[in-house]
Short mmCIF file of all heavy atoms in Angstrom, two decimals:
data_model
loop_
_atom_site.label_atom_id
_atom_site.label_comp_id
_atom_site.label_asym_id
_atom_site.label_seq_id
_atom_site.Cartn_x
_atom_site.Cartn_y
_atom_site.Cartn_z
N MET G 744 94.18 89.23 98.89
CA MET G 744 92.74 89.33 98.68
C MET G 744 92.46 88.85 97.26
O MET G 744 93.06 89.32 96.32
CB MET G 744 92.28 90.77 98.90
CG MET G 744 90.80 90.97 98.64
SD MET G 744 90.26 92.64 99.01
CE MET G 744 89.74 92.43 100.68
N ASP G 745 91.57 87.94 97.12
CA ASP G 745 91.31 87.35 95.80
C ASP G 745 90.28 88.11 94.98
O ASP G 745 89.87 87.65 93.92
CB ASP G 745 90.90 85.89 95.94
CG ASP G 745 89.65 85.71 96.77
OD1 ASP G 745 89.06 86.71 97.22
OD2 ASP G 745 89.24 84.56 96.96
N THR G 746 89.87 89.29 95.42
CA THR G 746 88.91 90.09 94.65
C THR G 746 89.54 91.33 94.05
O THR G 746 88.83 92.15 93.45
CB THR G 746 87.70 90.48 95.53
OG1 THR G 746 88.17 91.24 96.64
CG2 THR G 746 86.94 89.26 96.00
N ILE G 747 90.84 91.48 94.18
CA ILE G 747 91.53 92.65 93.63
C ILE G 747 91.25 92.78 92.13
O ILE G 747 91.10 93.89 91.62
CB ILE G 747 93.05 92.56 93.87
CG1 ILE G 747 93.38 92.61 95.36
CG2 ILE G 747 93.80 93.64 93.10
CD1 ILE G 747 93.28 93.95 95.99
N HIS G 748 91.14 91.67 91.43
CA HIS G 748 90.95 91.73 89.97
C HIS G 748 89.66 92.47 89.58
O HIS G 748 89.56 93.00 88.49
CB HIS G 748 90.97 90.33 89.36
CG HIS G 748 89.84 89.45 89.79
ND1 HIS G 748 89.85 88.77 90.99
CD2 HIS G 748 88.68 89.15 89.19
CE1 HIS G 748 88.72 88.10 91.10
NE2 HIS G 748 88.00 88.30 90.02
N TYR G 749 88.69 92.53 90.47
CA TYR G 749 87.46 93.27 90.18
C TYR G 749 87.72 94.78 90.05
O TYR G 749 86.96 95.50 89.42
CB TYR G 749 86.40 93.05 91.26
CG TYR G 749 85.84 91.65 91.29
CD1 TYR G 749 85.95 90.87 92.42
CD2 TYR G 749 85.19 91.12 90.18
CE1 TYR G 749 85.43 89.59 92.46
CE2 TYR G 749 84.68 89.84 90.20
CZ TYR G 749 84.80 89.07 91.34
OH TYR G 749 84.28 87.80 91.37
N ALA G 750 88.79 95.24 90.64
CA ALA G 750 89.12 96.67 90.61
C ALA G 750 89.91 97.07 89.36
O ALA G 750 90.04 98.26 89.08
CB ALA G 750 89.92 97.04 91.86
N GLU G 751 90.40 96.10 88.62
CA GLU G 751 91.18 96.41 87.42
C GLU G 751 90.36 97.25 86.45
O GLU G 751 89.20 96.96 86.21
CB GLU G 751 91.67 95.13 86.76
CG GLU G 751 92.72 94.41 87.57
CD GLU G 751 93.17 93.10 86.94
OE1 GLU G 751 92.73 92.78 85.82
OE2 GLU G 751 93.96 92.40 87.59
N GLY G 752 90.99 98.30 85.92
CA GLY G 752 90.32 99.17 84.98
C GLY G 752 89.49 100.28 85.62
O GLY G 752 88.91 101.11 84.95
N LYS G 753 89.43 100.28 86.93
CA LYS G 753 88.68 101.31 87.67
C LYS G 753 89.66 102.31 88.27
O LYS G 753 90.82 102.02 88.45
CB LYS G 753 87.85 100.68 88.80
CG LYS G 753 87.02 99.47 88.43
CD LYS G 753 85.88 99.83 87.52
CE LYS G 753 84.93 98.70 87.27
NZ LYS G 753 85.40 97.55 86.58
N GLU G 754 89.17 103.51 88.59
CA GLU G 754 89.99 104.51 89.25
C GLU G 754 89.64 104.65 90.72
O GLU G 754 90.42 105.17 91.50
CB GLU G 754 89.83 105.86 88.58
CG GLU G 754 90.48 105.94 87.22
CD GLU G 754 90.48 107.34 86.66
OE1 GLU G 754 89.96 108.26 87.32
OE2 GLU G 754 91.00 107.51 85.55
N ALA G 755 88.45 104.21 91.11
CA ALA G 755 88.00 104.38 92.49
C ALA G 755 87.22 103.16 92.95
O ALA G 755 86.63 102.44 92.14
CB ALA G 755 87.11 105.62 92.60
N ILE G 756 87.24 102.95 94.25
CA ILE G 756 86.39 101.92 94.85
C ILE G 756 85.68 102.55 96.04
O ILE G 756 86.14 103.53 96.62
CB ILE G 756 87.19 100.67 95.31
CG1 ILE G 756 88.24 101.04 96.36
CG2 ILE G 756 87.82 99.96 94.13
CD1 ILE G 756 88.86 99.83 97.03
N ILE G 757 84.55 101.98 96.39
CA ILE G 757 83.78 102.42 97.54
C ILE G 757 83.73 101.27 98.54
O ILE G 757 83.31 100.17 98.19
CB ILE G 757 82.35 102.83 97.13
CG1 ILE G 757 82.41 103.97 96.10
CG2 ILE G 757 81.54 103.24 98.37
CD1 ILE G 757 81.07 104.33 95.50
N LEU G 758 84.17 101.55 99.75
CA LEU G 758 84.18 100.54 100.80
C LEU G 758 83.01 100.75 101.75
O LEU G 758 82.62 101.89 102.01
CB LEU G 758 85.48 100.63 101.61
CG LEU G 758 86.78 100.38 100.86
CD1 LEU G 758 87.96 100.60 101.80
CD2 LEU G 758 86.81 98.98 100.29
N PRO G 759 82.48 99.67 102.28
CA PRO G 759 81.42 99.80 103.28
C PRO G 759 81.94 100.50 104.54
O PRO G 759 83.13 100.43 104.85
CB PRO G 759 81.03 98.36 103.61
CG PRO G 759 81.67 97.50 102.59
CD PRO G 759 82.80 98.28 101.99
N ASN G 760 81.04 101.14 105.25
CA ASN G 760 81.39 101.82 106.49
C ASN G 760 82.04 100.83 107.46
O ASN G 760 81.55 99.73 107.66
CB ASN G 760 80.12 102.41 107.11
CG ASN G 760 80.42 103.26 108.31
OD1 ASN G 760 81.40 103.99 108.33
ND2 ASN G 760 79.58 103.18 109.32
N GLY G 761 83.17 101.23 108.03
CA GLY G 761 83.84 100.42 109.05
C GLY G 761 84.83 99.40 108.52
O GLY G 761 85.56 98.81 109.28
N LEU G 762 84.87 99.18 107.19
CA LEU G 762 85.82 98.22 106.64
C LEU G 762 87.18 98.88 106.50
O LEU G 762 87.31 99.94 105.90
CB LEU G 762 85.35 97.71 105.28
CG LEU G 762 86.26 96.69 104.61
CD1 LEU G 762 86.28 95.39 105.42
CD2 LEU G 762 85.80 96.41 103.19
N GLU G 763 88.18 98.27 107.07
CA GLU G 763 89.53 98.78 106.96
C GLU G 763 90.35 97.82 106.11
O GLU G 763 90.17 96.62 106.18
CB GLU G 763 90.16 98.92 108.34
CG GLU G 763 89.48 99.97 109.19
CD GLU G 763 90.16 100.15 110.53
OE1 GLU G 763 91.34 99.78 110.67
OE2 GLU G 763 89.51 100.69 111.43
N ILE G 764 91.23 98.39 105.29
CA ILE G 764 92.09 97.55 104.46
C ILE G 764 93.54 97.81 104.84
O ILE G 764 93.90 98.90 105.27
CB ILE G 764 91.85 97.78 102.96
CG1 ILE G 764 92.09 99.23 102.57
CG2 ILE G 764 90.46 97.34 102.56
CD1 ILE G 764 92.01 99.48 101.08
N SER G 765 94.35 96.80 104.66
CA SER G 765 95.75 96.89 105.05
C SER G 765 96.55 97.71 104.02
O SER G 765 96.10 97.95 102.90
CB SER G 765 96.36 95.49 105.15
OG SER G 765 96.44 94.92 103.85
N LYS G 766 97.72 98.10 104.43
CA LYS G 766 98.62 98.84 103.53
C LYS G 766 98.97 97.97 102.32
O LYS G 766 99.07 98.47 101.20
CB LYS G 766 99.88 99.24 104.30
CG LYS G 766 100.72 100.26 103.61
CD LYS G 766 101.84 100.72 104.53
CE LYS G 766 102.42 102.01 104.03
NZ LYS G 766 103.43 102.55 104.93
N ASP G 767 99.14 96.68 102.53
CA ASP G 767 99.44 95.75 101.45
C ASP G 767 98.33 95.74 100.41
O ASP G 767 98.59 95.81 99.21
CB ASP G 767 99.66 94.34 102.01
CG ASP G 767 99.99 93.34 100.93
OD1 ASP G 767 100.95 93.58 100.17
OD2 ASP G 767 99.28 92.32 100.83
N ILE G 768 97.09 95.68 100.86
CA ILE G 768 95.94 95.70 99.95
C ILE G 768 95.87 97.04 99.23
O ILE G 768 95.60 97.11 98.03
CB ILE G 768 94.62 95.40 100.69
CG1 ILE G 768 94.64 94.00 101.29
CG2 ILE G 768 93.42 95.59 99.77
CD1 ILE G 768 94.74 92.88 100.28
N THR G 769 96.12 98.13 99.95
CA THR G 769 96.12 99.45 99.34
C THR G 769 97.12 99.52 98.20
O THR G 769 96.82 100.02 97.12
CB THR G 769 96.44 100.53 100.40
OG1 THR G 769 95.49 100.46 101.45
CG2 THR G 769 96.42 101.92 99.80
N HIS G 770 98.31 98.97 98.42
CA HIS G 770 99.33 98.97 97.37
C HIS G 770 98.91 98.10 96.19
O HIS G 770 99.16 98.46 95.03
CB HIS G 770 100.68 98.51 97.93
CG HIS G 770 101.35 99.56 98.76
ND1 HIS G 770 102.08 100.59 98.22
CD2 HIS G 770 101.38 99.74 100.09
CE1 HIS G 770 102.54 101.36 99.18
NE2 HIS G 770 102.13 100.87 100.33
N LYS G 771 98.28 96.97 96.45
CA LYS G 771 97.80 96.11 95.36
C LYS G 771 96.72 96.82 94.55
O LYS G 771 96.69 96.72 93.32
CB LYS G 771 97.26 94.79 95.92
CG LYS G 771 98.36 93.87 96.42
CD LYS G 771 97.80 92.59 96.98
CE LYS G 771 98.92 91.71 97.51
NZ LYS G 771 98.40 90.45 98.07
N LEU G 772 95.83 97.53 95.24
CA LEU G 772 94.79 98.29 94.53
C LEU G 772 95.41 99.38 93.67
O LEU G 772 95.02 99.58 92.53
CB LEU G 772 93.79 98.89 95.53
CG LEU G 772 92.86 97.89 96.20
CD1 LEU G 772 92.16 98.53 97.39
CD2 LEU G 772 91.84 97.35 95.20
N TYR G 773 96.41 100.06 94.21
CA TYR G 773 97.11 101.10 93.44
C TYR G 773 97.77 100.49 92.21
O TYR G 773 97.74 101.07 91.12
CB TYR G 773 98.13 101.79 94.33
CG TYR G 773 98.87 102.90 93.63
CD1 TYR G 773 98.26 104.13 93.42
CD2 TYR G 773 100.17 102.73 93.19
CE1 TYR G 773 98.93 105.16 92.77
CE2 TYR G 773 100.85 103.74 92.55
CZ TYR G 773 100.23 104.95 92.34
OH TYR G 773 100.89 105.96 91.69
N ALA G 774 98.34 99.30 92.37
CA ALA G 774 99.02 98.64 91.27
C ALA G 774 98.08 98.30 90.11
O ALA G 774 98.52 98.23 88.97
CB ALA G 774 99.73 97.38 91.77
N VAL G 775 96.80 98.08 90.40
CA VAL G 775 95.84 97.78 89.32
C VAL G 775 95.12 99.03 88.84
O VAL G 775 94.22 98.93 88.02
CB VAL G 775 94.83 96.67 89.71
CG1 VAL G 775 95.54 95.37 90.02
CG2 VAL G 775 93.93 97.10 90.84
N GLY G 776 95.51 100.21 89.34
CA GLY G 776 94.97 101.45 88.80
C GLY G 776 94.06 102.25 89.71
O GLY G 776 93.58 103.31 89.33
N ILE G 777 93.79 101.76 90.92
CA ILE G 777 92.93 102.50 91.84
C ILE G 777 93.65 103.74 92.35
O ILE G 777 94.76 103.66 92.85
CB ILE G 777 92.48 101.62 93.03
CG1 ILE G 777 91.62 100.46 92.54
CG2 ILE G 777 91.74 102.44 94.08
CD1 ILE G 777 90.33 100.88 91.86
N LYS G 778 93.00 104.89 92.19
CA LYS G 778 93.56 106.15 92.67
C LYS G 778 92.83 106.67 93.90
O LYS G 778 93.37 107.45 94.66
CB LYS G 778 93.46 107.22 91.58
CG LYS G 778 94.29 106.90 90.35
CD LYS G 778 94.10 107.97 89.31
CE LYS G 778 94.85 107.65 88.04
NZ LYS G 778 94.58 108.62 86.98
N TYR G 779 91.58 106.26 94.06
CA TYR G 779 90.74 106.80 95.14
C TYR G 779 90.04 105.67 95.87
O TYR G 779 89.50 104.75 95.26
CB TYR G 779 89.68 107.75 94.57
CG TYR G 779 90.23 108.78 93.64
CD1 TYR G 779 90.09 108.65 92.27
CD2 TYR G 779 90.92 109.88 94.14
CE1 TYR G 779 90.61 109.60 91.40
CE2 TYR G 779 91.46 110.83 93.28
CZ TYR G 779 91.30 110.68 91.92
OH TYR G 779 91.83 111.61 91.07
N ILE G 780 90.03 105.77 97.18
CA ILE G 780 89.26 104.86 98.03
C ILE G 780 88.30 105.72 98.83
O ILE G 780 88.71 106.63 99.54
CB ILE G 780 90.16 104.03 98.96
CG1 ILE G 780 91.07 103.13 98.13
CG2 ILE G 780 89.31 103.23 99.93
CD1 ILE G 780 92.04 102.31 98.95
N ILE G 781 87.03 105.43 98.67
CA ILE G 781 85.98 106.21 99.30
C ILE G 781 85.23 105.29 100.25
O ILE G 781 84.93 104.15 99.91
CB ILE G 781 85.02 106.78 98.23
CG1 ILE G 781 85.83 107.65 97.27
CG2 ILE G 781 83.88 107.56 98.86
CD1 ILE G 781 85.33 107.63 95.87
N THR G 782 84.92 105.77 101.43
CA THR G 782 84.13 104.97 102.35
C THR G 782 82.68 105.40 102.28
O THR G 782 82.37 106.58 102.18
CB THR G 782 84.63 105.08 103.81
OG1 THR G 782 84.65 106.45 104.18
CG2 THR G 782 86.02 104.50 103.94
N ARG G 783 81.81 104.43 102.30
CA ARG G 783 80.37 104.68 102.23
C ARG G 783 79.83 104.81 103.64
O ARG G 783 80.15 104.01 104.51
CB ARG G 783 79.69 103.52 101.52
CG ARG G 783 78.19 103.66 101.41
CD ARG G 783 77.60 102.35 100.86
NE ARG G 783 76.16 102.38 100.86
CZ ARG G 783 75.38 102.18 101.92
NH1 ARG G 783 75.93 101.97 103.09
NH2 ARG G 783 74.08 102.21 101.83
N GLY G 784 79.01 105.80 103.86
CA GLY G 784 78.37 105.96 105.16
C GLY G 784 77.34 104.87 105.42
O GLY G 784 76.96 104.12 104.52
N ALA G 785 76.89 104.80 106.63
CA ALA G 785 75.93 103.76 107.01
C ALA G 785 74.49 104.14 106.68
O ALA G 785 73.59 103.33 106.79
CB ALA G 785 76.06 103.47 108.51
N SER G 786 74.27 105.37 106.25
CA SER G 786 72.91 105.85 106.00
C SER G 786 72.32 105.27 104.73
O SER G 786 73.01 105.04 103.75
CB SER G 786 72.91 107.36 105.90
OG SER G 786 71.64 107.83 105.51
N ASN G 787 71.03 105.05 104.74
CA ASN G 787 70.31 104.64 103.53
C ASN G 787 69.33 105.71 103.09
O ASN G 787 68.55 105.50 102.17
CB ASN G 787 69.56 103.32 103.77
CG ASN G 787 70.52 102.16 103.84
OD1 ASN G 787 71.52 102.13 103.14
ND2 ASN G 787 70.23 101.20 104.69
N SER G 788 69.35 106.87 103.74
CA SER G 788 68.46 107.97 103.39
C SER G 788 68.86 108.52 102.02
O SER G 788 70.01 108.89 101.79
CB SER G 788 68.56 109.09 104.44
OG SER G 788 68.02 110.28 103.93
N ILE G 789 67.91 108.60 101.10
CA ILE G 789 68.21 109.08 99.75
C ILE G 789 68.70 110.52 99.78
O ILE G 789 69.59 110.89 99.01
CB ILE G 789 66.99 108.91 98.82
CG1 ILE G 789 67.40 109.13 97.35
CG2 ILE G 789 65.87 109.84 99.20
CD1 ILE G 789 68.31 108.09 96.80
N ASP G 790 68.17 111.34 100.69
CA ASP G 790 68.64 112.73 100.79
C ASP G 790 70.10 112.79 101.23
O ASP G 790 70.89 113.56 100.70
CB ASP G 790 67.76 113.52 101.76
CG ASP G 790 66.34 113.70 101.25
OD1 ASP G 790 66.17 113.78 100.02
OD2 ASP G 790 65.42 113.76 102.08
N GLU G 791 70.44 111.96 102.21
CA GLU G 791 71.82 111.94 102.67
C GLU G 791 72.75 111.38 101.60
O GLU G 791 73.85 111.88 101.41
CB GLU G 791 71.95 111.12 103.96
CG GLU G 791 71.36 111.82 105.16
CD GLU G 791 71.55 111.03 106.44
OE1 GLU G 791 72.60 110.39 106.59
OE2 GLU G 791 70.64 111.06 107.28
N LEU G 792 72.30 110.34 100.90
CA LEU G 792 73.13 109.76 99.84
C LEU G 792 73.35 110.76 98.71
O LEU G 792 74.44 110.83 98.14
CB LEU G 792 72.50 108.47 99.31
CG LEU G 792 72.46 107.30 100.29
CD1 LEU G 792 71.73 106.12 99.68
CD2 LEU G 792 73.87 106.90 100.71
N GLN G 793 72.33 111.56 98.39
CA GLN G 793 72.48 112.59 97.36
C GLN G 793 73.54 113.61 97.78
O GLN G 793 74.40 113.99 96.99
CB GLN G 793 71.14 113.30 97.10
CG GLN G 793 71.21 114.39 96.06
CD GLN G 793 71.47 113.87 94.66
OE1 GLN G 793 71.05 112.78 94.31
NE2 GLN G 793 72.17 114.64 93.88
N GLY G 794 73.49 114.03 99.03
CA GLY G 794 74.48 114.97 99.55
C GLY G 794 75.88 114.38 99.54
O GLY G 794 76.85 115.07 99.20
N ILE G 795 75.99 113.12 99.90
CA ILE G 795 77.29 112.44 99.89
C ILE G 795 77.84 112.38 98.47
O ILE G 795 79.01 112.65 98.23
CB ILE G 795 77.17 111.03 100.51
CG1 ILE G 795 76.88 111.13 102.01
CG2 ILE G 795 78.43 110.22 100.25
CD1 ILE G 795 76.44 109.83 102.64
N ALA G 796 76.98 112.03 97.51
CA ALA G 796 77.41 111.95 96.11
C ALA G 796 77.89 113.31 95.61
O ALA G 796 78.92 113.42 94.94
CB ALA G 796 76.27 111.43 95.24
N GLU G 797 77.15 114.36 95.93
CA GLU G 797 77.54 115.71 95.50
C GLU G 797 78.87 116.11 96.11
O GLU G 797 79.73 116.68 95.43
CB GLU G 797 76.44 116.71 95.86
CG GLU G 797 75.19 116.54 95.02
CD GLU G 797 74.02 117.39 95.49
OE1 GLU G 797 74.18 118.15 96.47
OE2 GLU G 797 72.95 117.27 94.88
N GLN G 798 79.07 115.82 97.39
CA GLN G 798 80.34 116.15 98.04
C GLN G 798 81.48 115.34 97.44
O GLN G 798 82.58 115.85 97.23
CB GLN G 798 80.26 115.91 99.55
CG GLN G 798 81.51 116.36 100.29
CD GLN G 798 81.78 117.84 100.14
OE1 GLN G 798 80.90 118.66 100.37
NE2 GLN G 798 82.98 118.21 99.73
N MET G 799 81.23 114.07 97.13
CA MET G 799 82.26 113.22 96.54
C MET G 799 82.70 113.80 95.18
O MET G 799 83.89 113.86 94.89
CB MET G 799 81.73 111.80 96.35
CG MET G 799 82.78 110.82 95.86
SD MET G 799 82.12 109.17 95.53
CE MET G 799 81.19 108.81 96.99
N ILE G 800 81.75 114.25 94.39
CA ILE G 800 82.08 114.84 93.09
C ILE G 800 82.92 116.09 93.29
O ILE G 800 83.93 116.29 92.60
CB ILE G 800 80.80 115.14 92.29
CG1 ILE G 800 80.15 113.81 91.87
CG2 ILE G 800 81.09 116.02 91.08
CD1 ILE G 800 78.74 113.95 91.34
N LYS G 801 82.56 116.94 94.24
CA LYS G 801 83.35 118.14 94.53
C LYS G 801 84.76 117.77 94.95
O LYS G 801 85.74 118.36 94.51
CB LYS G 801 82.69 118.97 95.62
CG LYS G 801 81.42 119.66 95.18
CD LYS G 801 80.78 120.40 96.34
CE LYS G 801 79.41 120.93 95.98
NZ LYS G 801 78.72 121.53 97.12
N ASP G 802 84.87 116.75 95.84
CA ASP G 802 86.18 116.32 96.32
C ASP G 802 87.03 115.78 95.17
O ASP G 802 88.22 116.07 95.08
CB ASP G 802 86.04 115.26 97.41
CG ASP G 802 85.47 115.82 98.70
OD1 ASP G 802 85.47 117.05 98.87
OD2 ASP G 802 85.02 115.01 99.52
N LEU G 803 86.43 114.97 94.31
CA LEU G 803 87.18 114.41 93.19
C LEU G 803 87.60 115.50 92.21
O LEU G 803 88.68 115.42 91.63
CB LEU G 803 86.35 113.34 92.48
CG LEU G 803 86.13 112.05 93.27
CD1 LEU G 803 85.15 111.15 92.53
CD2 LEU G 803 87.44 111.33 93.52
N ASP G 804 86.77 116.50 92.03
CA ASP G 804 87.13 117.61 91.15
C ASP G 804 88.33 118.39 91.68
O ASP G 804 89.09 118.98 90.90
CB ASP G 804 85.95 118.57 90.97
CG ASP G 804 84.89 118.03 90.04
OD1 ASP G 804 85.17 117.05 89.32
OD2 ASP G 804 83.77 118.57 90.05
N ARG G 805 88.51 118.40 92.99
CA ARG G 805 89.62 119.16 93.59
C ARG G 805 90.91 118.36 93.67
O ARG G 805 91.95 118.91 93.98
CB ARG G 805 89.23 119.60 95.00
CG ARG G 805 88.27 120.75 95.02
CD ARG G 805 88.20 121.33 96.41
NE ARG G 805 87.75 120.36 97.38
CZ ARG G 805 86.57 120.39 97.98
NH1 ARG G 805 85.72 121.35 97.71
NH2 ARG G 805 86.23 119.48 98.85
N THR G 806 90.86 117.08 93.42
CA THR G 806 92.06 116.27 93.57
C THR G 806 92.96 116.42 92.36
O THR G 806 92.53 116.75 91.27
CB THR G 806 91.73 114.78 93.77
OG1 THR G 806 91.03 114.31 92.62
CG2 THR G 806 90.92 114.56 95.01
N ASN G 807 94.20 116.18 92.58
CA ASN G 807 95.19 116.15 91.51
C ASN G 807 96.33 115.26 91.96
O ASN G 807 96.27 114.66 93.03
CB ASN G 807 95.66 117.57 91.17
CG ASN G 807 96.26 118.27 92.37
OD1 ASN G 807 97.11 117.72 93.05
ND2 ASN G 807 95.82 119.48 92.66
N LYS G 808 97.37 115.18 91.16
CA LYS G 808 98.45 114.25 91.49
C LYS G 808 99.14 114.57 92.81
O LYS G 808 99.75 113.71 93.41
CB LYS G 808 99.48 114.19 90.37
CG LYS G 808 100.29 115.44 90.18
CD LYS G 808 101.25 115.26 89.00
CE LYS G 808 102.10 116.48 88.82
NZ LYS G 808 103.27 116.53 89.64
N ASP G 809 99.02 115.83 93.29
CA ASP G 809 99.65 116.20 94.55
C ASP G 809 98.68 116.19 95.73
O ASP G 809 99.06 116.39 96.85
CB ASP G 809 100.26 117.61 94.43
CG ASP G 809 101.34 117.66 93.37
OD1 ASP G 809 102.15 116.70 93.31
OD2 ASP G 809 101.38 118.63 92.61
N ASN G 810 97.41 115.95 95.46
CA ASN G 810 96.39 116.02 96.49
C ASN G 810 95.37 114.91 96.29
O ASN G 810 94.20 115.17 96.05
CB ASN G 810 95.72 117.41 96.45
CG ASN G 810 94.66 117.56 97.53
OD1 ASN G 810 94.74 116.93 98.57
ND2 ASN G 810 93.68 118.38 97.27
N TRP G 811 95.79 113.68 96.35
CA TRP G 811 94.91 112.53 96.13
C TRP G 811 94.13 112.22 97.39
O TRP G 811 94.60 112.43 98.50
CB TRP G 811 95.71 111.32 95.74
CG TRP G 811 96.28 111.39 94.36
CD1 TRP G 811 96.54 112.51 93.62
CD2 TRP G 811 96.69 110.30 93.57
NE1 TRP G 811 97.08 112.18 92.42
CE2 TRP G 811 97.18 110.82 92.36
CE3 TRP G 811 96.70 108.93 93.75
CZ2 TRP G 811 97.66 110.01 91.34
CZ3 TRP G 811 97.18 108.14 92.75
CH2 TRP G 811 97.64 108.68 91.55
N LEU G 812 92.93 111.68 97.21
CA LEU G 812 92.19 111.20 98.37
C LEU G 812 92.89 109.97 98.95
O LEU G 812 92.85 109.72 100.14
CB LEU G 812 90.76 110.83 97.95
CG LEU G 812 89.90 111.98 97.48
CD1 LEU G 812 88.54 111.46 97.04
CD2 LEU G 812 89.71 113.01 98.57
N LEU G 813 93.54 109.22 98.10
CA LEU G 813 94.30 108.04 98.52
C LEU G 813 95.76 108.33 98.24
O LEU G 813 96.14 108.54 97.10
CB LEU G 813 93.86 106.80 97.74
CG LEU G 813 94.81 105.60 97.79
CD1 LEU G 813 94.86 105.04 99.21
CD2 LEU G 813 94.38 104.54 96.83
N GLN G 814 96.56 108.37 99.26
CA GLN G 814 97.99 108.57 99.05
C GLN G 814 98.70 107.26 99.27
O GLN G 814 98.53 106.61 100.29
CB GLN G 814 98.53 109.63 100.00
CG GLN G 814 97.95 110.99 99.70
CD GLN G 814 98.64 112.08 100.48
OE1 GLN G 814 99.56 111.84 101.24
NE2 GLN G 814 98.21 113.30 100.26
N VAL G 815 99.45 106.88 98.28
CA VAL G 815 100.22 105.64 98.37
C VAL G 815 101.68 106.00 98.31
O VAL G 815 102.12 106.73 97.43
CB VAL G 815 99.86 104.70 97.21
CG1 VAL G 815 100.70 103.44 97.26
CG2 VAL G 815 98.38 104.36 97.24
N SER G 816 102.43 105.50 99.29
CA SER G 816 103.86 105.81 99.31
C SER G 816 104.66 104.60 98.92
O SER G 816 104.20 103.50 98.91
CB SER G 816 104.27 106.30 100.69
OG SER G 816 103.92 105.37 101.68
#
């Protein structure tokens, strides 16, 4: 994937709903520093997006090196 360089220096990326990435791409993202991959819902409702953002913050606060949202082996 020729857009991996856009992820350099970031810890997380947000993918559109329904987009799947291969294990190879996941490893490349991890190699440039990505720790979390989050999928974005299909909703455009501001209320739903606010709830999603709040839940994402709670989830990220609970993660640690043994409980990552993205596990790379």
